Amino acid sequence: MSLKTFKSYTKSTRGTVLVNRKNLWKGKPLKTLTFGKKSTGGRNNAGRITSRSRGAGHKNKYRMIDFYRNKDDLKAKVERIEYDPNRSAYVALIKYEDGVLNYILAPSKIKIGDEITSGKNKEIKVGNCMPLSDIPAGTNIHNIELSPKGGGKFVRSAGSYAQISGIDQNYCIVKLGSGEIRKIINTARATIGSVSN
C-alpha cells in the first residue's frame, strides 16, 4: 500500500498524506468466513454503561482470521486484500492448493497473486510462516505465538513488527516494538514481515 499526497491548493491539503486504497477489494467479505457481531453499546448484562462513549456504530461482520497458520507444506495464493473494520490492519484472503480459503493478517508489501506457505525449513519470504528456530536473527516478524500451536498473540496491529535478536538454548530472544525483550520457545511460530497499513 503506497501513500497518497496532495498538491497544496488549500490549507487542509498542504500536509495531508493518506493511504492509497485502490488495490483493496471493493466487494463484500467472503460469507462463509464471517459472522454477525453484536454491538453492546458499552453496556453490560444489567444494561448499565460500563465503558462510556460507545455508540451503536455501524453494523460490521467479523472476519474469522487464521492466526494459527497450521496447514503445512501447502502453497497458498493471495486472492485479494480487504479492509477489516474490526482491526487496524488489512486482511488477505488466501486460497490453498486443496481449495480451502482463509483470511490472514496481510503483511506489508504483499500483492495479489503472491504465493505463501507455512511449515519447517521454508524460504525467508514475506508472508511465510515458520518456527522461530528457522528464522535468522535481525528478521522482522509479526503474528508471534506465545506457545507452540497456541495461535498468534503478539504483534498483530497495523504497521507493527518485532525482531529476532538471538537464540538462547531452546529459546528465541525477540525484541518487540515497545522495546521489551522476551524469550519465546523456538518451536513457536511467527510470520515474516511487518503488518500492513
Side-chain angles (χ1 to χ4, degrees):
M1 297 289 153
S2 58
L3 296 174
K4 192 165 60 171
T5 54
F6 297 87
K7 286 189 176 177
S8 56
Y9 292 127
T10 61
K11 290 176 183 178
S12 61
T13 56
R14 186 167 295 134
T16 305
V17 178
L18 299 175
V19 175
N20 194 352
R21 293 182 172 181
K22 70 173 192 212
N23 295 330
L24 289 184
W25 173 252
K26 291 174 180 66
K28 290 187 177 181
L30 194 71
K31 200 171 184 181
T32 53
L33 291 174
T34 56
F35 61 85
K37 191 165 73 83
K38 190 174 180 291
S39 174
T40 61
R43 285 153 175 79
N44 66 1
N45 61 343
R48 295 193 179 96
I49 293 174
T50 52
S51 51
R52 294 186 301 177
S53 308
R54 291 279 175 95
H58 198 283
K59 275 189 182 181
N60 42 29
K61 285 191 159 42
Y62 186 82
R63 281 87 167 150
M64 288 181 276
I65 310 291
D66 179 20
F67 293 114
Y68 293 89
R69 298 286 300 272
N70 51 12
K71 285 180 80 69
D72 290 355
D73 306 319
L74 275 176
K75 283 185 180 176
K77 191 179 176 185
V78 178
E79 295 286 306
R80 63 196 192 204
I81 296 167
E82 295 183 17
Y83 169 78
D84 188 353
N86 305 296
R87 63 195 73 250
S88 56
Y90 295 137
V91 294
L93 182 71
I94 58 170
K95 188 176 186 178
Y96 288 98
E97 287 174 319
D98 58 357
V100 176
L101 290 158
N102 262 338
Y103 277 124
I104 62 161
L105 289 177
S108 59
K109 296 177 183 168
I110 204 165
K111 297 184 288 298
I112 297 162
D114 284 1
E115 280 195 341
I116 56 174
T117 184
S118 58
K120 289 183 179 177
N121 303 317
K122 297 295 177 228
E123 184 191 349
I124 304 298
K125 188 176 108 178
V126 171
N128 284 359
C129 182
M130 59 193 76
L132 290 168
S133 56
D134 293 350
I135 305 170
T139 309
N140 288 352
I141 54 173
H142 68 276
N143 192 34
I144 308 163
E145 288 182 337
L146 190 55
S147 58
K149 297 180 181 175
K153 298 283 189 284
F154 288 125
V155 194
R156 301 193 324 195
S157 64
S160 59
Y161 63 89
Q163 270 189 333
I164 293 182
S165 300
I167 292 163
D168 181 17
Q169 294 174 346
N170 292 338
Y171 289 86
C172 205
I173 299 161
V174 177
K175 186 181 179 187
L176 301 175
S178 62
E180 183 187 348
I181 292 169
R182 292 195 77 128
K183 281 172 79 172
I184 301 170
I185 195 154
N186 60 15
T187 50
R189 292 187 179 200
T191 309
I192 308 289
S194 59
V195 190
S196 61
N197 194 19

